[in-house]
Amino acid sequence: YSSISGNRIKDWGHAGIEFFAGPKSDTLYGVRNNLVLDNYITNLNGSHGRGIATDGINKGCQDNEFKSNIIRDCRAPVQFNGNNNKFHHNIIYGTKNSFIYPNSPNGKGITFSRYRDSLVSYGHRIDNNIIMNNEETDIEFRNFFPNSTHSNPDIKDIFIRNNIIFTNDDLDPDPVT
């Protein structure tokens, strides 16, 4: 496996860390069994950018673990597609709407979003995170292909457990440093 740990990632384009295995990827050559640990990811000055993104065809982007990361002030949500990925003990704080997409509310905490018919999103574990002070929905499920003939057309088997999720403007304005 590979590991991405102890980094400070700031003001990038589309995604601070992205794992992608699709639609032209062979499932023999996926993005699997990787660890993303203890990174500080922020995009306060960017026009659009999510802290973490996983995307994949069935069994292409799977069994990756995201642990103890701080993701703050991004301009798009953490995006989880692929299958059987784990996201735990992270902080998502202050996701804002992207000003380059004024008609698309991007200030969400986490999204599970099948935006291509060939991609899957199932079997993820989202545990023991703090998701707070985002401009839009904290957790979103969005399937652009609900009537697909794909072998795994549904966003399903997502377990979201023991998270602290809230918005409170009376808190310390900078609780994550």
Side-chain angles (χ1 to χ4, degrees):
Y1 79 94
S2 297
S3 174
I4 301 172
S5 62
N7 297 291
R8 183 175 179 91
I9 302 169
K10 182 178 178 185
D11 296 338
W12 61 89
H14 179 71
I17 298 172
E18 181 173 21
F19 291 176
F20 183 78
K24 297 187 186 280
S25 300
D26 185 326
T27 57
L28 295 174
Y29 305 103
V31 182
R32 299 184 192 91
N33 302 305
N34 298 293
L35 176 64
V36 177
L37 171 69
D38 196 28
N39 296 286
Y40 180 86
I41 305 168
T42 183
N43 194 17
L44 182 62
N45 299 312
S47 60
H48 176 79
R50 60 187 87 251
I52 292 173
T54 65
D55 273 316
I57 58 174
N58 194 35
K59 299 181 182 175
C61 182
Q62 70 177 20
D63 300 321
N64 298 295
E65 181 177 7
F66 300 84
K67 177 182 178 184
S68 301
N69 298 287
I70 296 172
I71 304 158
R72 66 169 297 167
D73 299 320
C74 292
R75 297 282 178 180
V78 168
Q79 180 173 292
F80 261 81
N81 293 316
N83 57 290
N84 303 322
N85 294 299
K86 297 177 197 106
F87 188 82
H88 61 95
H89 297 94
N90 299 286
I91 298 172
I92 300 173
Y93 172 77
T95 307
K96 309 277 188 269
N97 288 319
S98 170
F99 54 83
I100 64 169
Y101 297 111
N103 297 321
S104 178
N106 286 315
K108 302 169 185 126
I110 297 177
T111 186
F112 304 91
S113 176
R114 282 191 66 237
Y115 61 92
R116 286 189 190 157
D117 193 30
S118 58
L119 301 178
V120 299
S121 188
Y122 69 88
H124 304 299
R125 305 295 184 259
I126 310 298
D127 298 319
N128 302 303
N129 299 287
I130 298 173
I131 303 170
M132 60 187 271
N133 290 355
N134 301 299
E135 282 190 347
E136 301 291 340
T137 305
D138 288 309
I139 298 173
E140 174 192 53
F141 292 76
R142 180 175 282 194
N143 190 348
F144 291 94
F145 299 95
N147 299 316
S148 173
T149 58
H150 187 278
S151 61
N152 284 295
D154 297 326
I155 297 173
K156 62 183 180 180
D157 301 326
I158 311 290
F159 294 90
I160 300 172
R161 304 172 292 205
N162 301 314
N163 297 283
I164 299 171
I165 303 170
F166 65 94
T167 298
N168 186 339
D169 293 331
D170 294 332
L171 292 175
D172 178 348
D174 193 10
V176 184
T177 56

